[in-house]
Amino acid sequence: MTSTAAGGKMCNGKGSPEAKAKTQTDEYQNEYPQRFNDPDTYFCMESYLLCMVGLPGMGKTFVAQRLARWLEFFHDVNVKVFNLGNERRKQVGANISHSFFDSEKKSNRETHRLIRTNVFGEIKAFLVKDTKPRIAIYDACSHTKETRKLIVKSVGPKVNIIFIECIVHTENILNGYMDQIKKSMPDYQDMDFADAKVDYKKRIEHFRRKYEPMDDPDLSWIKLVDNAEQLTLNQISGFLPGQIVNFLMNLHTVPRPIYLSRHGQSQYNALGKIGGDSGLTEEGVKYAQKLARFLEERVVTGGGKDKQEKDQCGNALHARLYTSTLRRTCETVQFVRHGVQSDGWVTLRQRKWRALDELFAGVFDGMTYAEIAEKAPEAYSARKKNKLTYRYPRGESYLDVIKRVEQVMLHMQRHTDPVVIVAHQAVLRVIYTYFMGLPRDQATKKPIPLNTVIKLTPYAYHTKEERFVLHTMKSDGTDNDAPSH
């Protein structure tokens, strides 16, 4: 079938979008072309200093790290956390007694001042390094009004300052923080757990004697009580502060496991085709059966029946199951048991998210990579050069996937129970890269193999990773794990 173009020339209606675009370019002159540049970061138009406030052991470092990671990964903001404890460890070492934090001693006050001065020198240098907006997060106690006045004076009027105060009254949450001292706090790595607990409690008391909660009506502040069960705002307005509030009100500081799994091998996997909505192969069904057994034996039991140290989470029997809407993920969870608990909760009840669907290949959906390379070599080459920003014709890029996955992460982070996500290679790469603190471009490269469960447990200073290979497929000489976005 043919059509007549302007000027009476005939053009073939068949062929790839790239071929059509080339034909149109040959026939029409664009006198004033628009140049394509990488988009600006509209999310953050001004520089900010976010200052943590609160006693030790209130989850400030966890909040600071997770907030920084969210701003950096999902919104491409230039953000950096400045931890006062890290500078202190550089200056005086990690293994110091609680007495160092007694501000009644003049020598201690002078050392504290010098350490704080060094950190604020770094913060100011970071904020004015170039003309682009930046966000610095000051992770310290900032527990007195005098300290907070010094912060405002040190930074100056050109930088917006928001104080974020963390307060915890609930005993269970406080005990959970105490249990994490030995695991994640650098100060107590070489100390007996019982001794570390005693020392840390004495450290908290030194700060408590001088502690003054946020109540200044002229400062901008957000007060989080018991993992945002209560949220108080003062002088908070504008787009970025509003987005930060939205993030914080959905954040909790309880470590809990997140299980990631690709679907079992699909019919398109076996054929080397990308995308599509095919069902599972026989090997894929075998993995689905083993995954169901794994969830029953490992997840809803809090890490395993025989495991001495159970997973730290709200209630393992309240584990949640997220999948995409595509056939291959739904078939992968078909054997999962959904027990009804005494409180009416349905364990691992499936929730389908379109936001977890595989990266859409547009006009190339259902093709092999060899077919794409043959029929659209320029498009194939362009994607290989930059997979992060390349968008399939009428399809998606990795940046598009990052944007839609954010809503799932915001929803999920409020849960204190285990979460199981059964999805696709590109989507799980994004989630894995986010939690592991890796640069965005690594989301296009990290392997997420079939037949494997990845267990991630986020803490304040790191994310713990474990992998479980549940099934080994019969080899027929082909790559059974191909293709991959």
Side-chain angles (χ1 to χ4, degrees):
M1 181 176 180
T2 59
S3 60
T4 305
K9 294 183 181 179
M10 302 294 287
C11 62
N12 191 348
K14 297 180 181 179
S16 69
E18 288 72 20
K20 292 179 182 178
K22 188 174 188 306
T23 301
Q24 291 171 354
T25 303
D26 291 340
E27 295 176 354
Y28 299 105
Q29 294 298 319
N30 182 3
E31 295 182 58
Y32 307 105
Q34 175 181 328
R35 288 183 59 193
F36 176 79
N37 297 305
D38 289 334
D40 296 321
T41 302
Y42 293 109
F43 184 80
C44 177
M45 299 300 291
E46 299 178 286
S47 291
Y48 280 83
L49 172 61
L50 310 180
C51 295
M52 305 307 299
V53 177
L55 296 172
M58 297 290 138
K60 299 186 304 299
T61 295
F62 185 93
V63 172
Q65 295 291 342
R66 295 261 54 100
L67 176 57
R69 185 61 186 148
W70 172 69
L71 290 167
E72 176 186 49
F73 188 80
F74 286 115
H75 299 285
D76 199 25
V77 176
N78 194 342
V79 59
K80 185 175 180 180
V81 177
F82 295 85
N83 183 284
L84 189 68
N86 289 340
E87 179 64 24
R88 185 248 309 156
R89 282 183 277 274
K90 272 195 239 174
Q91 300 294 332
V92 298
N95 299 319
I96 54 175
S97 167
H98 66 87
S99 60
F100 173 82
F101 300 93
D102 184 358
S103 59
E104 296 295 332
K105 296 179 180 178
K106 186 177 179 181
S107 60
N108 285 351
R109 288 200 302 273
E110 182 60 22
T111 306
H112 299 166
R113 186 188 67 79
L114 289 172
I115 294 170
R116 191 165 55 240
T117 300
N118 288 345
V119 173
F120 266 90
E122 293 178 7
I123 289 174
K124 285 191 282 187
F126 170 77
L127 289 173
V128 300
K129 192 169 184 180
D130 54 40
T131 57
K132 295 180 181 178
R134 291 165 172 252
I135 296 179
I137 301 180
Y138 180 47
D139 182 12
C141 289
S142 306
H143 62 300
T144 67
K145 291 183 178 180
E146 181 185 1
T147 302
R148 297 192 283 267
K149 284 181 182 177
L150 287 172
I151 291 172
V152 174
K153 185 178 178 182
S154 297
V155 176
K158 292 185 178 180
V159 176
N160 301 286
I161 303 177
I162 299 176
F163 293 92
I164 301 172
E165 184 177 20
C166 297
I167 299 172
V168 178
H169 299 307
T170 304
E171 201 65 30
N172 288 342
I173 300 175
L174 289 171
N175 290 337
Y177 291 155
M178 284 293 176
D179 291 340
Q180 291 306 309
I181 290 173
K182 181 69 176 172
K183 289 180 183 177
S184 60
M185 197 165 184
D187 289 349
Y188 297 112
Q189 292 302 299
D190 302 322
M191 189 181 291
D192 177 75
F193 178 64
D195 293 338
K197 218 169 177 181
V198 170
D199 185 88
Y200 196 56
K201 285 182 177 180
K202 289 180 179 178
R203 180 191 296 192
I204 293 172
E205 289 308 310
H206 290 309
F207 284 90
R208 196 187 301 277
R209 285 197 294 269
K210 300 283 186 179
Y211 185 65
E212 296 173 294
M214 291 295 311
D215 61 6
D216 190 327
D218 296 324
L219 296 178
S220 296
W221 46 266
I222 303 167
K223 192 188 294 273
L224 303 169
V225 180
D226 289 337
N227 283 333
E229 290 298 326
Q230 286 184 8
L231 190 71
T232 307
L233 311 179
N234 187 75
Q235 297 281 7
I236 298 295
S237 62
F239 178 73
L240 176 64
Q243 293 299 303
I244 290 173
V245 169
N246 182 46
F247 176 82
L248 293 175
M249 71 190 299
N250 286 293
L251 183 67
H252 69 79
T253 55
V254 178
R256 51 77 172 85
I258 300 160
Y259 296 88
L260 308 180
S261 171
R262 281 176 71 182
H263 52 80
Q265 186 194 48
S266 70
Q267 293 164 343
Y268 270 22
N269 282 144
L271 295 171
K273 295 183 177 183
I274 64 173
D277 195 15
S278 62
L280 298 183
T281 63
E282 183 180 341
E283 294 291 341
V285 173
K286 289 179 182 177
Y287 175 72
Q289 293 169 333
K290 292 178 180 179
L291 177 64
R293 192 155 50 244
F294 176 87
L295 299 185
E296 188 171 347
E297 294 175 356
R298 290 269 191 163
V299 176
V300 300
T301 57
K305 293 179 180 178
D306 301 327
K307 191 177 180 183
Q308 291 185 348
E309 187 177 348
K310 294 291 186 180
D311 291 334
Q312 205 177 351
C313 60
N315 184 349
L317 290 173
H318 284 190
R320 300 162 190 263
L321 175 62
Y322 292 172
T323 74
S324 75
T325 64
L326 298 178
R327 181 180 169 190
R328 52 195 181 275
T329 60
C330 294
E331 289 185 3
T332 300
V333 300
Q334 63 183 301
F335 302 108
V336 175
R337 292 178 59 184
H338 308 286
V340 181
Q341 306 308 316
S342 58
D343 59 359
W345 183 269
V346 180
T347 302
L348 292 170
R349 176 163 46 191
Q350 182 184 3
R351 174 164 183 177
K352 300 178 185 179
W353 290 83
R354 289 193 182 278
L356 293 177
D357 286 358
E358 180 59 297
L359 189 157
F360 182 46
V363 298
F364 299 134
D365 185 57
M367 296 172 66
T368 67
Y369 281 122
E371 289 171 335
I372 297 172
E374 179 186 350
K375 297 179 180 179
E378 290 182 6
Y380 181 81
S381 176
R383 188 167 191 267
K384 285 189 77 72
K385 286 179 182 176
N386 192 342
K387 288 176 71 174
L388 182 67
T389 61
Y390 175 83
R391 179 177 286 121
Y392 282 115
R394 300 181 188 175
E396 290 184 298
S397 69
Y398 263 92
L399 288 181
D400 295 325
V401 174
I402 287 173
K403 193 62 188 170
R404 60 175 161 92
V405 164
E406 182 190 10
Q407 64 174 296
V408 184
M409 297 296 97
L410 280 172
H411 183 88
M412 185 185 74
Q413 71 180 9
R414 192 62 192 156
H415 304 323
T416 60
D417 313 311
V419 179
V420 179
I421 301 177
V422 179
H424 310 269
Q425 170 98 309
V427 170
L428 294 180
R429 277 174 163 172
V430 167
I431 296 171
Y432 176 87
T433 305
Y434 168 62
F435 280 109
M436 296 304 293
L438 301 171
R440 280 172 136 196
D441 60 358
Q442 291 298 305
T444 68
K445 303 169 186 175
K446 285 295 172 183
I448 306 291
L450 291 173
N451 306 313
T452 303
V453 174
I454 302 174
K455 179 182 178 183
L456 303 178
T457 308
Y459 294 99
Y461 291 91
H462 71 289
T463 295
K464 181 181 178 183
E465 177 185 353
E466 301 171 77
R467 295 201 176 206
F468 306 88
V469 179
L470 305 189
H471 178 60
T472 303
M473 294 189 292
K474 296 177 182 177
S475 177
D476 57 1
T478 61
D479 183 0
N480 289 314
D481 205 2
S484 159
H485 276 296

